[in-house]
Amino acid sequence: MNAQNENQSTAATTGSATPAAASSAPATQARKIAVVTGASRGMGRAIAIRLARRGYTVGIHYGSNADAAREALDLVNQAATEAGSGGSGFVFGADLSEQDPGLAFWSAFDTAAAEAGISPLADESTVKIDALVNNAGVFLAGGIAKADTSVLVKNLQVNTIAPYSIVHHGLDRLRDGARIVSTSSGAAKGAAAGSMGYAMSKAAVESFTKSLAAALGERQIRVNAVQPGVTMTDVNKQWFENAPQVKEQMVAHTALGRVGEPDDVAAVVDSLISEDMSWVTGAVIDASGGMGL
């Protein structure tokens, strides 16, 4: 399967942290805080909207597209208002292609959270996180003959190393009982000869998910992953418009007979974060509509 058919949020992963735009709603650490990487567009945006409806104050991470992140913020605040949930959002930028991006990521988060009126309690050193969604990703294609190790490294850096670094540097920020959900890909469950580095990076995310679930279980932190199939992100929408026959082929191989929407995947992430899934950890949930059955 060509992994370009997969899902990744198209939030860019290069760029620097820029001043955050925040909602005017009052926010205190007593509120539930969620962080979603790659939340400016696509699945990340849909996840942030759902969490705001659930009452979370959502840190909307982006890599380079601040305008898209601010559009996402407007939609997050609108969704929270319509739901009457008390949720809200703020945006922050951080480059996940850096060697060890977790430190800069959390520094940018702290700055943006403070600007949004969110600060640690008096006896805490950091703002505590209730939910973390590792969604940001890149897709760099290429088979073994054409793609050198630089392609593999770039895929691994953003898709695998960045989530590891964010969790590593954020362990003391995670509240006991927090939830972590990472975005994998259908490319990880089978042969992906044309996008080998990408598939390897996502298979590593699934291994990370299981190992992290075991490591954090004593703190009652649940760790899971979702495995989307063909999803109508901005990148895929343009691709399908240019090659409609490819979309037809993907639909033909999907049991539910259509391409997924970002909110289809976001609904699964939302469920994993909810109390309804309190006995589920270390799981990789297929969210592909039955692709490849």
Side-chain angles (χ1 to χ4, degrees):
M1 181 187 304
N2 186 331
Q4 188 173 358
N5 302 337
E6 305 304 328
N7 55 56
Q8 288 320 294
S9 162
T10 54
T13 53
T14 58
S16 58
T18 61
S23 110
S24 58
T28 68
Q29 178 57 73
R31 306 181 82 180
K32 297 183 295 183
I33 306 295
V35 178
V36 183
T37 71
S40 62
R41 295 185 289 176
M43 292 186 299
R45 176 184 289 191
I47 292 166
I49 289 170
R50 278 189 169 264
L51 293 179
R53 287 187 187 135
R54 194 179 281 278
Y56 283 88
T57 295
V58 185
I60 300 167
H61 163 263
Y62 69 94
S64 64
N65 195 335
D67 289 339
R70 290 188 175 94
E71 289 175 5
L73 174 65
D74 290 341
L75 292 172
V76 161
N77 287 333
Q78 178 183 344
T81 299
E82 290 174 352
S85 67
S88 62
F90 60 92
V91 305
F92 67 103
D95 182 359
L96 300 188
S97 68
E98 296 294 331
Q99 185 174 4
D100 188 15
L103 284 171
F105 177 91
W106 288 117
S107 177
F109 169 85
D110 286 339
T111 298
E115 291 176 0
I118 304 167
S119 57
L121 296 175
D123 59 346
E124 301 283 1
S125 59
T126 63
V127 171
K128 296 301 181 183
I129 308 300
D130 297 279
L132 170 63
V133 182
N134 293 308
N135 171 76
V138 296
F139 170 77
L140 296 173
I144 191 67
K146 293 184 177 180
D148 62 20
T149 55
S150 69
V151 174
L152 172 61
V153 169
K154 289 175 182 177
N155 277 300
L156 288 170
Q157 173 58 48
V158 176
N159 299 343
T160 310
I161 294 173
Y164 185 99
S165 178
I166 289 168
V167 173
H168 171 70
H169 291 292
L171 281 175
D172 63 338
R173 299 169 177 271
L174 292 169
R175 196 185 302 279
D176 287 355
R179 291 86 161 170
I180 301 173
V181 181
S182 297
T183 303
S184 179
S185 166
K189 66 181 178 181
S195 52
M196 199 172 296
Y198 174 77
M200 290 170 66
S201 73
K202 289 303 184 177
V205 167
E206 296 186 8
S207 177
F208 176 52
T209 295
K210 296 176 186 297
S211 297
L212 191 61
L216 299 183
E218 64 182 4
R219 293 179 56 190
Q220 300 300 300
I221 295 175
R222 295 191 288 108
V223 187
N224 296 290
V226 292
Q227 192 184 77
V230 183
T231 307
M232 192 62 79
T233 59
D234 292 349
V235 169
N236 282 343
K237 182 177 181 180
Q238 183 177 6
W239 184 46
F240 290 150
E241 288 174 352
N242 294 333
Q245 72 281 3
V246 175
K247 179 181 177 181
E248 293 174 2
Q249 292 170 1
M250 296 302 103
V251 169
H253 288 87
T254 302
L256 296 183
R258 65 174 176 85
V259 170
E261 296 294 335
D263 193 59
D264 292 325
V265 180
V268 178
V269 174
D270 185 34
S271 178
L272 285 169
I273 289 173
S274 76
E275 289 296 334
D276 292 339
M277 302 289 273
S278 63
W279 196 236
V280 178
T281 193
V284 178
I285 306 298
D286 186 301
S288 69
M291 188 171 185
L293 294 178

